[in-house]
Amino acid sequence: MRAYERLLKYVCVPTSSDEHSTSVPTSACQFELARLVARELRDMGLSDVRVDNKCYVYARLPATPGYEEAPKIGFIAHLDTSPDFNGENVRPRIIK
């Protein structure tokens, strides 16, 4: 799957936040996107994939054989949500 195809799939997942909530994440629907990302990470061969109770996604990509002692690197991304748009029935398209 190409990166833009993956992005188009992600934007179709409703993840609206609730500005009145005191929980993290602010709405349970945000777990749907986290679980989708986790499933795709597993499908790509990453290990120790998990989603915690605050909707953080973790995964491990082992070092290339022979480079196990090289410096480690971590990638962190933020899945932004908004209460201003419901996120339902999104139909993204590419305009060339």
Side-chain angles (χ1 to χ4, degrees):
M1 179 180 298
R2 297 181 144 197
Y4 76 88
E5 294 169 322
R6 197 174 301 279
L7 176 64
L8 293 177
K9 182 168 54 168
Y10 294 163
V11 299
C12 292
V13 178
T15 57
S16 298
S17 58
D18 177 357
E19 61 189 330
H20 303 293
S21 174
T22 58
S23 66
V24 176
T26 63
S27 60
C29 67
Q30 294 169 27
F31 278 100
E32 184 179 343
L33 179 57
R35 286 189 293 267
L36 173 61
V37 170
R39 187 169 45 253
E40 291 188 348
L41 290 170
R42 280 187 205 93
D43 291 346
M44 287 186 250
L46 278 74
S47 61
D48 302 327
V49 180
R50 66 184 172 93
V51 178
D52 74 6
N53 64 342
K54 297 206 184 285
C55 206
Y56 290 97
V57 180
Y58 299 89
R60 179 183 301 270
L61 177 63
T64 301
Y67 290 89
E68 293 85 358
E69 300 306 316
K72 312 305 186 258
I73 186 170
F75 294 98
I76 301 170
H78 175 71
L79 304 175
D80 204 5
T81 62
S82 171
D84 297 327
F85 185 74
N86 71 14
E88 297 288 334
N89 301 312
V90 172
R91 292 185 181 88
R93 59 191 178 128
I94 297 174
I95 300 172
K96 294 184 179 184

